[in-house]
């Protein structure tokens, strides 16, 4: 799947559905519709929020419990 | 079973109460004085489980094993924090290992295989003197949206929610005073809200995940379901603590969360999360607004607050991280045994395997970016408040796409960032279904959340039993 903030939700859904059909077959892809629509929406949302190279690295478990010992 | 002798113990006990109506805190007191034996109490709960069997809360009840444990317990004991759950039978969600019992996760190949080692939670419960009565119903791998066999004790046409379905239903039905569950998105507090009980999800890493089947390592939280905030604090005393076997376990100083209820007690300053009130269904919003008004009348200072970024971004970050990790957990077993996967889990696994790694890493970069922004919201408040879920318990025959077991979104901002939160009932609404409010705290502020929760509980009062 191409990752770009310029894609629409429908384009992302179509890309995921093509991948699903190639991987799991048409019948399974039909069963996956709700999950694929959720994936398309969430993928699109994340792609609207790009980060530059020097911005945040991925989080780690320690972020959770070191952020506010009180 | 009605026990006149219990009149002298605690403030909530009266002669006409049945043992199954008692809070664990009251029972521990009665047991310590020898006014009730562990076996008498256990038999009272087993009879209650039989009498309310239509709730279908259990996958496995180890009645004989529980009796053997109860018989070995002394008839009186010194009440001590280290034995804080002495004689209390407990049900654990069926994704949590208990030695000698199967962990089915609602997955047939696991159903008849007893495991030989306790999870960290089970080990701590045993150490605190609890009786591990059995396994409560869970959605398959805590990831399925298929309706469980369990029914909502308040209205059998409705589900208890998922994935922790059995523990809150059993606690609401007075079958046990404490249940253990897990939450990766909303799987503990949402069902607890639907069932009209208290649900508490401690901070990420506060309770060990060792020996619990994972759903998403960076978001999995064990937690407790009770009928009172006091019992939630008692249960947390038993299960909290660092565990070197869990790489995400938090270094922590042992705390007494029961005494913390008094230590942290004050009229709270609360932030009302506008984003969630605005997204709630009208019936839920109206009930939550009424509950907030009662808190304000009781003296709480309440301001409107907003999430620091759009709710959709929180949802997307959590969804991608959860699904990326879940795919890594399941792909090998799924390739070998996919016929045993329920349809919604199958669809989830297949979809998640299509996600590129770069998207997962991008979501985790946003987790680091969002965390301090979210933490800053708590600077001026003891806790935030919001409806626990956007909706009420769905009907058993609900077919609403990916929300068949209810809308998980109102738990996402807190679960994704490991913040402690608690749900408590505020009343009963349409269709005899409970209303609920959640109390959310900053990172590791578990004691504060419990104290605020208890203050709110005193304003709202307690719900009666849904079943006679």
């Amino acid at each position: 799947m191409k990752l770009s903030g310029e894609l629409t939700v429908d384009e992302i859904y179509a890309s995921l559905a093509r991948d699903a059909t190639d991987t799991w077959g048409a019948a399974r892809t039909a069963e996956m519709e709700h999950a694929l629509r959720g994936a398309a929406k969430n993928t699109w949302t994340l792609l609207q929020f790009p980060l530059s190279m020097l911005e945040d690295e991925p989080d780690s478990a320690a972020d959770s419990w070191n952020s506010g010992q009180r | 079973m009605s026990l006149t002798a219990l009149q002298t113990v605690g403030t909530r006990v009266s002669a006409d109460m049945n043992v199954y109506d008692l809070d664990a805190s009251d029972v521990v007191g009665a047991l310590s004085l020898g006014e009730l034996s562990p076996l008498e109490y256990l038999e009272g709960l087993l009879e209650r489980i039989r009498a309310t069997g239509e709730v279908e809360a259990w996958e496995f009840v180890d009645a004989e094993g529980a009796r053997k444990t109860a018989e070995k317990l002394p008839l009186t004991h010194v009440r001590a924090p280290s034995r804080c759950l002495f004689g209390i039978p407990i049900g654990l969600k069926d994704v949590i290992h208990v030695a000698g019992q199967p962990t089915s996760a609602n997955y047939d190949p696991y159903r008849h295989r007893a495991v030989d080692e306790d999870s960290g939670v089970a080990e701590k419960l045993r150490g605190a003197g609890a009786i591990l009565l059995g396994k409560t119903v869970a959605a398959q791998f805590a990831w399925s949206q298929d309706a469980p066999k369990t029914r909502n004790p308040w209205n059998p046409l409705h589900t208890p929610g998922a994935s922790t379905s059995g523990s809150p239903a059993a606690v609401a039905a007075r079958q046990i005073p404490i249940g253990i569950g897990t939450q990766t998105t909303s799987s503990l507090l949402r069902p607890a809200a639907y069932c009209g009980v208290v649900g508490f999800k401690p901070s990420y890493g506060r309770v060990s995940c060792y020996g619990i089947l994972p759903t998403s390592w960076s978001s999995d939280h064990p937690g407790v379901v009770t009928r009172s905030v006091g019992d939630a604090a008692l249960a947390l005393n038993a299960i909290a603590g660092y565990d070197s076997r869990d790489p995400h376990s938090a270094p922590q100083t042992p705390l007494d969360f029961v005494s913390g209820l008094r230590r942290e007690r004050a009229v709270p300053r609360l932030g009302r999360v506008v984003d969630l009130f605005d997204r709630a269904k009208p019936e839920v919003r109206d009930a939550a607004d009424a509950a907030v008004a009662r808190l304000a009348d009781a003296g709480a200072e309440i301001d409107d607050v907003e999430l620091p970024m759009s709710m959709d971004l929180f949802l997307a970050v959590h969804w991608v991280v959860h699904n990326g990790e879940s795919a890594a957990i399941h792909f090998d077993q799924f390739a070998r045994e996919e016929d045993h996967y329920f349809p919604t889990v199958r669809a989830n696994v297949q979809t998640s395997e299509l996600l590129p790694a770069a998207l997962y890493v991008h979501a985790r970069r946003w987790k680091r970016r969002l965390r301090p922004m979210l933490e800053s919201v708590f600077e001026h408040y003891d806790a935030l408040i919001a409806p626990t879920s956007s909706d009420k318990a769905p009907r058993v025959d609900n077919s609403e796409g990916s929300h068949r077991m209810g809308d998980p979104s109102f738990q996402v901002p807190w679960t994704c960032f490991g913040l402690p939160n608690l749900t408590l009932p505020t009343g009963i609404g349409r269709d005899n279904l409970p209303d609920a409010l959640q109390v959310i705290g900053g990172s590791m502020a578990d004691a504060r959340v419990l104290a605020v929760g208890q203050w709110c509980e005193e304003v709202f009062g307690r719900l009666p039993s849904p079943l006679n």
Side-chain angles (χ1 to χ4, degrees), chain B residues 332-375:
Chain B
D332 179 56
Q333 178 175 267
F334 184 77
R336 289 181 283 106
E337 298 183 327
E338 67 171 54
D339 289 349
H340 297 289
Y341 278 70
F342 288 178
T344 56
V345 188
R346 193 166 67 208
N348 288 343
V349 173
Q350 292 172 163
T351 299
S352 299
E353 287 191 27
L354 303 176
L355 299 175
L359 195 66
Y360 173 81
V361 175
H362 185 61
R364 291 204 70 146
R365 292 179 76 192
W366 266 104
K367 277 193 78 169
R368 175 157 278 168
R369 166 70 60 98
L370 286 170
R371 182 181 303 283
M373 298 165 75
L374 186 60
E375 280 282 336

Side-chain angles (χ1 to χ4, degrees), chain B residues 22 168 276 403:
Chain B
L22 300 174
L276 300 190
H403 290 169

Side-chain angles (χ1 to χ4, degrees), chain A residues 1 3 16-17 19-20 23-24 28-29 31-32 34-36 38-43 45-47 49-61 63-70, chain B residues 204-205 248-251 309-310 312-313 315-317 319-320 334 338 346-348 350-351 353-356 358-359 361-369 371 375 401-402 442-445:
Chain A
M1 179 172 60
L3 297 179
L16 284 168
D19 289 351
T23 310
W24 306 110
R28 285 288 180 86
T29 301
E31 292 176 359
M32 293 162 65
H34 286 304
L36 289 172
K41 169 81 187 324
N42 287 310
T43 300
T45 301
L46 261 180
L47 295 179
F49 294 92
L51 292 167
S52 68
M53 286 185 190
L54 291 175
E55 289 185 289
D56 305 74
E57 294 182 11
D59 76 326
S60 69
D63 290 340
S64 302
W65 30 262
N66 283 337
S67 60
Q69 290 277 2
R70 57 186 92 180
Chain B
Y204 182 75
H248 297 161
S249 183
M309 294 289 282
S310 82
D312 284 347
L313 178 60
L315 296 176
V317 166
W319 188 92
V320 169
F334 184 77
E338 67 171 54
R346 193 166 67 208
N348 288 343
Q350 292 172 163
T351 299
E353 287 191 27
L354 303 176
L355 299 175
L359 195 66
V361 175
H362 185 61
R364 291 204 70 146
R365 292 179 76 192
W366 266 104
K367 277 193 78 169
R368 175 157 278 168
R369 166 70 60 98
R371 182 181 303 283
E375 280 282 336
S402 58
S443 178
M444 302 307 276

Side-chain angles (χ1 to χ4, degrees), chain B residues 259-319:
Chain B
S259 65
L261 293 172
R262 294 186 296 276
R263 192 176 57 247
E264 300 269 350
R265 189 178 173 79
V267 176
R269 182 153 192 212
L270 303 172
R272 173 184 176 275
V273 186
V274 176
D275 311 64
L276 300 190
F277 279 80
D278 289 348
R279 282 176 171 243
K281 289 187 173 177
E283 180 195 1
V284 171
R285 187 172 57 237
D286 290 348
D289 281 338
V292 170
R294 291 167 70 188
L295 297 176
D297 287 347
E301 287 183 59
I302 303 174
D303 299 329
D304 284 352
V305 299
E306 294 181 351
L307 292 173
M309 294 289 282
S310 82
M311 180 72 170
D312 284 347
L313 178 60
F314 281 94
L315 296 176
V317 166
H318 179 72
W319 188 92

